Amino acid sequence: MADTRDYAPVGVYLMVHDGHGALDFYRRAFAAEVVETYPHENRIGHATLKVNGGEVMLSDEFPEDLTGCRSPEALGGTTSSVYLTVDDADAWFDRAVQAGAQVIRPLHDEFYGRAGKLRDPFGHVWGVVGPVKG
């Protein structure tokens, strides 16, 4: 079992309506490495993923009084987004779209870099930002 010293000091924890599907999607879309999973009631009770050198945790949706939050599907949207700062925004963005992400805002060049937004099949919004192509 992982010790709390193994976790990042601040991390993202996503609540999803299909944990097994989410693990598959994040592997394909963001080259996620599944570090650990813990089943609970035939669902994902907890999973830790490594994505682009960072850490994302997730679980299937359970009663709000147990977890304190609900999935975007239950809410009808999300109240936050996850940002990926990457070396090649086009490659990351295209891979996620091919895996099933919906384009919210296509990639375009901004003063801070090349950026776009995606919605994953579980309702979470992902920003992808990288250097402007020269």
Side-chain angles (χ1 to χ4, degrees), residues 46-60:
H46 171 83
T48 303
L49 308 144
K50 293 287 184 186
V51 178
N52 193 34
E55 190 172 84
V56 174
M57 294 179 274
L58 67 84
S59 77
D60 270 299

PDB file of all heavy atoms in Angstrom, residues 46-60:
ATOM      1  N   HIS A  46     -10.123   3.877  -6.036  1.00  0.00           N
ATOM      2  CA  HIS A  46      -9.040   4.856  -6.137  1.00  0.00           C
ATOM      3  C   HIS A  46      -8.071   4.381  -7.214  1.00  0.00           C
ATOM      4  O   HIS A  46      -7.796   3.189  -7.334  1.00  0.00           O
ATOM      5  CB  HIS A  46      -8.277   4.991  -4.810  1.00  0.00           C
ATOM      6  CG  HIS A  46      -7.042   5.818  -4.948  1.00  0.00           C
ATOM      7  ND1 HIS A  46      -7.064   7.188  -4.909  1.00  0.00           N
ATOM      8  CD2 HIS A  46      -5.744   5.472  -5.172  1.00  0.00           C
ATOM      9  CE1 HIS A  46      -5.823   7.656  -5.077  1.00  0.00           C
ATOM     10  NE2 HIS A  46      -5.014   6.619  -5.240  1.00  0.00           N
ATOM     11  N   ALA A  47      -7.537   5.327  -7.968  1.00  0.00           N
ATOM     12  CA  ALA A  47      -6.461   5.047  -8.922  1.00  0.00           C
ATOM     13  C   ALA A  47      -5.536   6.252  -8.954  1.00  0.00           C
ATOM     14  O   ALA A  47      -5.975   7.394  -8.818  1.00  0.00           O
ATOM     15  CB  ALA A  47      -7.014   4.782 -10.318  1.00  0.00           C
ATOM     16  N   THR A  48      -4.258   5.985  -9.100  1.00  0.00           N
ATOM     17  CA  THR A  48      -3.261   7.036  -9.280  1.00  0.00           C
ATOM     18  C   THR A  48      -2.622   6.841 -10.638  1.00  0.00           C
ATOM     19  O   THR A  48      -2.225   5.725 -10.992  1.00  0.00           O
ATOM     20  CB  THR A  48      -2.174   6.980  -8.180  1.00  0.00           C
ATOM     21  OG1 THR A  48      -2.790   7.089  -6.901  1.00  0.00           O
ATOM     22  CG2 THR A  48      -1.159   8.092  -8.356  1.00  0.00           C
ATOM     23  N   LEU A  49      -2.529   7.936 -11.402  1.00  0.00           N
ATOM     24  CA  LEU A  49      -1.940   7.915 -12.738  1.00  0.00           C
ATOM     25  C   LEU A  49      -0.812   8.927 -12.803  1.00  0.00           C
ATOM     26  O   LEU A  49      -0.895   9.991 -12.182  1.00  0.00           O
ATOM     27  CB  LEU A  49      -2.991   8.319 -13.785  1.00  0.00           C
ATOM     28  CG  LEU A  49      -4.294   7.565 -13.744  1.00  0.00           C
ATOM     29  CD1 LEU A  49      -5.440   8.494 -14.086  1.00  0.00           C
ATOM     30  CD2 LEU A  49      -4.247   6.444 -14.733  1.00  0.00           C
ATOM     31  N   LYS A  50       0.197   8.610 -13.564  1.00  0.00           N
ATOM     32  CA  LYS A  50       1.243   9.573 -13.907  1.00  0.00           C
ATOM     33  C   LYS A  50       0.933  10.085 -15.306  1.00  0.00           C
ATOM     34  O   LYS A  50       0.755   9.297 -16.238  1.00  0.00           O
ATOM     35  CB  LYS A  50       2.635   8.929 -13.895  1.00  0.00           C
ATOM     36  CG  LYS A  50       3.095   8.504 -12.520  1.00  0.00           C
ATOM     37  CD  LYS A  50       3.473   9.686 -11.692  1.00  0.00           C
ATOM     38  CE  LYS A  50       4.031   9.225 -10.350  1.00  0.00           C
ATOM     39  NZ  LYS A  50       4.278  10.328  -9.457  1.00  0.00           N
ATOM     40  N   VAL A  51       0.845  11.410 -15.432  1.00  0.00           N
ATOM     41  CA  VAL A  51       0.547  12.044 -16.714  1.00  0.00           C
ATOM     42  C   VAL A  51       1.542  13.175 -16.926  1.00  0.00           C
ATOM     43  O   VAL A  51       1.587  14.118 -16.131  1.00  0.00           O
ATOM     44  CB  VAL A  51      -0.891  12.610 -16.756  1.00  0.00           C
ATOM     45  CG1 VAL A  51      -1.157  13.309 -18.079  1.00  0.00           C
ATOM     46  CG2 VAL A  51      -1.923  11.517 -16.504  1.00  0.00           C
ATOM     47  N   ASN A  52       2.367  13.048 -17.942  1.00  0.00           N
ATOM     48  CA  ASN A  52       3.297  14.119 -18.311  1.00  0.00           C
ATOM     49  C   ASN A  52       4.174  14.557 -17.131  1.00  0.00           C
ATOM     50  O   ASN A  52       4.429  15.746 -16.949  1.00  0.00           O
ATOM     51  CB  ASN A  52       2.504  15.302 -18.888  1.00  0.00           C
ATOM     52  CG  ASN A  52       3.378  16.324 -19.579  1.00  0.00           C
ATOM     53  OD1 ASN A  52       4.379  15.974 -20.190  1.00  0.00           O
ATOM     54  ND2 ASN A  52       3.006  17.585 -19.467  1.00  0.00           N
ATOM     55  N   GLY A  53       4.590  13.626 -16.310  1.00  0.00           N
ATOM     56  CA  GLY A  53       5.444  13.941 -15.166  1.00  0.00           C
ATOM     57  C   GLY A  53       4.682  14.365 -13.925  1.00  0.00           C
ATOM     58  O   GLY A  53       5.266  14.560 -12.875  1.00  0.00           O
ATOM     59  N   GLY A  54       3.366  14.515 -14.019  1.00  0.00           N
ATOM     60  CA  GLY A  54       2.537  14.891 -12.876  1.00  0.00           C
ATOM     61  C   GLY A  54       1.673  13.728 -12.441  1.00  0.00           C
ATOM     62  O   GLY A  54       1.785  12.613 -12.944  1.00  0.00           O
ATOM     63  N   GLU A  55       0.800  14.006 -11.499  1.00  0.00           N
ATOM     64  CA  GLU A  55      -0.022  12.964 -10.921  1.00  0.00           C
ATOM     65  C   GLU A  55      -1.494  13.350 -10.978  1.00  0.00           C
ATOM     66  O   GLU A  55      -1.862  14.482 -10.674  1.00  0.00           O
ATOM     67  CB  GLU A  55       0.411  12.779  -9.465  1.00  0.00           C
ATOM     68  CG  GLU A  55      -0.154  11.599  -8.777  1.00  0.00           C
ATOM     69  CD  GLU A  55       0.513  11.419  -7.423  1.00  0.00           C
ATOM     70  OE1 GLU A  55       0.070  12.071  -6.458  1.00  0.00           O
ATOM     71  OE2 GLU A  55       1.482  10.646  -7.337  1.00  0.00           O
ATOM     72  N   VAL A  56      -2.313  12.408 -11.399  1.00  0.00           N
ATOM     73  CA  VAL A  56      -3.769  12.558 -11.407  1.00  0.00           C
ATOM     74  C   VAL A  56      -4.341  11.350 -10.684  1.00  0.00           C
ATOM     75  O   VAL A  56      -3.937  10.223 -10.957  1.00  0.00           O
ATOM     76  CB  VAL A  56      -4.325  12.620 -12.850  1.00  0.00           C
ATOM     77  CG1 VAL A  56      -5.839  12.636 -12.851  1.00  0.00           C
ATOM     78  CG2 VAL A  56      -3.764  13.818 -13.592  1.00  0.00           C
ATOM     79  N   MET A  57      -5.246  11.603  -9.756  1.00  0.00           N
ATOM     80  CA  MET A  57      -5.932  10.521  -9.071  1.00  0.00           C
ATOM     81  C   MET A  57      -7.391  10.558  -9.490  1.00  0.00           C
ATOM     82  O   MET A  57      -7.908  11.597  -9.890  1.00  0.00           O
ATOM     83  CB  MET A  57      -5.786  10.669  -7.566  1.00  0.00           C
ATOM     84  CG  MET A  57      -4.346  10.505  -7.095  1.00  0.00           C
ATOM     85  SD  MET A  57      -4.149  10.711  -5.328  1.00  0.00           S
ATOM     86  CE  MET A  57      -3.957  12.488  -5.244  1.00  0.00           C
ATOM     87  N   LEU A  58      -8.050   9.403  -9.408  1.00  0.00           N
ATOM     88  CA  LEU A  58      -9.461   9.364  -9.751  1.00  0.00           C
ATOM     89  C   LEU A  58     -10.151   8.210  -9.057  1.00  0.00           C
ATOM     90  O   LEU A  58      -9.503   7.293  -8.560  1.00  0.00           O
ATOM     91  CB  LEU A  58      -9.664   9.271 -11.266  1.00  0.00           C
ATOM     92  CG  LEU A  58      -9.225   8.009 -12.009  1.00  0.00           C
ATOM     93  CD1 LEU A  58     -10.281   6.909 -11.946  1.00  0.00           C
ATOM     94  CD2 LEU A  58      -8.949   8.332 -13.455  1.00  0.00           C
ATOM     95  N   SER A  59     -11.467   8.299  -9.036  1.00  0.00           N
ATOM     96  CA  SER A  59     -12.285   7.184  -8.586  1.00  0.00           C
ATOM     97  C   SER A  59     -13.633   7.260  -9.268  1.00  0.00           C
ATOM     98  O   SER A  59     -14.013   8.295  -9.816  1.00  0.00           O
ATOM     99  CB  SER A  59     -12.464   7.193  -7.066  1.00  0.00           C
ATOM    100  OG  SER A  59     -13.405   8.164  -6.669  1.00  0.00           O
ATOM    101  N   ASP A  60     -14.333   6.130  -9.238  1.00  0.00           N
ATOM    102  CA  ASP A  60     -15.720   6.143  -9.664  1.00  0.00           C
ATOM    103  C   ASP A  60     -16.505   7.008  -8.689  1.00  0.00           C
ATOM    104  O   ASP A  60     -16.093   7.210  -7.539  1.00  0.00           O
ATOM    105  CB  ASP A  60     -16.291   4.721  -9.635  1.00  0.00           C
ATOM    106  CG  ASP A  60     -16.109   4.002 -10.949  1.00  0.00           C
ATOM    107  OD1 ASP A  60     -16.644   4.482 -11.955  1.00  0.00           O
ATOM    108  OD2 ASP A  60     -15.439   2.953 -10.961  1.00  0.00           O
TER     109      ASP A  60
END
